[in-house]
Amino acid sequence: MNASAVSLGEIVEAAVESHRGKVGALLPVLHAIQDKLGHIPRDSVPFIARAMNLSRAEIHGVMNFYHDFRSEPGGEHTIQVCRAEACQAMGSRELELHARDRLGIDFGETTPDGLISLEPVYCLGNCACSPSIRINDDIHARVSAESFDELISRLEAED
Amino acid sequence: MAVRVYVPRDATACALGADEVAERIRDGAAGRGIDVEVIRNGSRGAFWLEPLVEVETDQGRMAFGPVAPIEVPGLFEAGFPGDADHRLSLGAVEGIDWLASQQRLTFARAGWTDPLSLEDYRDTGGFKGLERALQMEPQAIVDEIKESGLRGRGGAAFPTGIKWQTVLDTSADQKYIVCNADEGDSGTFADRLLMEADPYQLIEGMTIAGLAVGASEGYIYLRSEYPHCKSVLSDAIDRASQAGYLGENLCGSRNVFRIELRIGAGAYICGEETSLLDSLEGKRGLVRFKPPVPAVEGLMGKPTAVNNVLSLAAASTVLAQGAAFYRDFGTGRSRGTLTVQLAGNIKRGGLVEIPFGETLRELVEGYGGGTASGRPVRSIQVGGPLGTYLPESHWDVALDYEALAEIGGMLGHGGVVVFDDTVDMAQQARFAMEFCAVESCGKCTPCRVGSVRGVEVIDRVIAGQDREFNLEVLDDLCDTMIEGSLCAMGGLTPLPVRSAIMHFPEDFGD
Ligand SMILES: Cc1cc2nc3c(=O)[nH]c(=O)nc-3n(C[C@H](O)[C@H](O)[C@H](O)COP(=O)(O)O)c2cc1C
Ligand code: SF4
Ligand code: FES
């Protein structure tokens, strides 16, 4: 076994161990792995399967069902643009187009420099001050094309 | 003594810069040698005034809002935190009519307290319901809930007492309480607001539910789109456990009740209770056939009470104040208070808790103040993404479960999303189908495939291809979805679609 496989196994082991004995622990385990690595590597699935006594197909099925789980690495930052009705009423359709244009990527893609992944989201619970976006764990309200550009420039400058 | 200044920690307040406001107030005070204690309270739900900063004085709390971070230096120059004559000064917080005219019951504490302070919670009547429940037989607790007339706040409005009775009557070695905190409807944030502003009320309500039905384990299933809420809830559960309000020997009694916080993974359908249970079991969130209902066979096949955040929170009010107190707030079969959320293109958006019976128009024009854009309102979607689009001729409907049902609508979780006259209702109908296609659990063909077909057909109508024919195809498709869907996702998606076509035909090329 090579070094990265060993550490992957250890990461899975730790995630499973911290949820041992819990009802239906697969989701918390997947969240824990993704929180640590930014995604759930395909190579980790056999480890998860063994540690949790599940089939690989079951794990793939669960990973594919939920929008949050990704099996490929994402960008350093994840930006979610809300596409739901309250935000639509405040111009999110235009904001969505602007975001794709500014970043030069579509939903589900990552900028070539690996800085930003763009994802759709359906409501962030900020619907009284729409349109809303989320950057990592921060939510931003009443986002305009200009304030979107400012937020992106800040991320680019930090880099 | 330090001046106490309140700056909400709520997600919307933070989305408008509340963290930076708090920082700038601390720095500004330090620079001027003023002794200030900044408290991060919950939001009152007047989101149009956020960040709403309050200063504690002898005359009560003085409010300033909306305080964007750049306003802070100007506030200090005007004399803040002392008597400040400033454009953003709102006077005493109790004098803000938008809040004062509401009838806050479930949200009475929101904004007044530090959400994580157990002392604040106890000082404002917290844990009174739990203390009373601990002295009662399970059946007496269930009876109290039944008498209160409390109906589920998650959307279906099912009587909570009857659900709890079913769980109580079932014998099993293990029963569960599951709090549905998936709040996926666009235009809703009441659950989030409550959990971020007053988490102990939910914890208390869940514990009462546990005592009532004989469950020792509770889960809160929280959507992953709510990171602020996650942090407040996990801290609140820790603190309540350390203080003996959760865990073994609850409040010194022989009872046990634990709560575990679980995070969803981005799936609207997991708000449907049986899909939620599958998700909690670590599976794909597929909707289950009913019967059996979860109250009989729920989590891991055990009797489970699945309730919305607000239903569980209300249980603590019912137990603290008595069934009659709660029941006397309502009209007809709609008991307690009405919680609506004003969202979308609205000037004064936020959470409104009032008696049932006010009309949609009064709400949107009165509390809401019309649109944010200043243009005329054209369409209002009530009850989330599966709710009807209502044209002006329907705005005089009273907001209660029955009155809305009569005009083919539903109150659901109380979301009110306002659109101005720039809205293209054909695009809204298209989105309803698209949303169903994205979020369908995939179990029924009419929902999974019908919604994809629905998008295509609406695209043809929009493009002006065989308009009459394609509208007929769409109508048939809606019938198929209604008849052949297991749950409301596929079964109700035709509501927004058909209401858009019926009430706004001009947007469909008519
Ligand atoms: C598609 C769909 C989505 C739902 N989403 C939610 C939700 O996000 N939150 C919620 O409390 N109930 C939701 N419900 C309703 C639940 O199935 C269930 O009725 C509710 O959790 C019961 O709690 P209550 O009786 O306290 O309202 C949804 C139902 C459907 C069909
Ligand atoms: S109607 Fe749709 S979401 Fe509901 S069970 Fe069927 S496929 Fe799943
Ligand atoms: S609809 Fe965008 S935040 Fe709720």
Side-chain angles (χ1 to χ4, degrees), chain B residues 8-50:
Chain B
R9 59 175 296 171
D10 168 271
T12 286
C14 291
L16 292 161
D19 285 339
E20 205 181 327
V21 169
E23 226 20 75
R24 288 194 182 197
I25 289 176
R26 281 195 197 99
D27 291 351
R32 287 171 173 78
I34 308 169
D35 192 7
V36 153
E37 182 193 357
V38 175
I39 296 158
R40 303 304 301 273
N41 57 334
S43 172
R44 297 175 186 274
F47 288 133
W48 58 289
L49 290 175
E50 293 290 359

Side-chain angles (χ1 to χ4, degrees), chain A residues 81-89 92 121-133 139-140, chain B residues 12 183-189 223 226 343-344 417:
Chain A
V81 178
C82 179
R83 298 193 66 217
E85 289 89 342
C87 286
Q88 292 165 6
S92 67
V121 70
Y122 298 92
C123 194
L124 292 163
N126 185 50
C127 337
C129 302
S130 294
S132 318
I133 68 167
I139 294 170
H140 299 268
Chain B
T12 286
E183 196 166 60
D185 286 5
S186 165
T188 69
F189 39 72
R223 66 200 299 256
Y226 284 179
V417 178

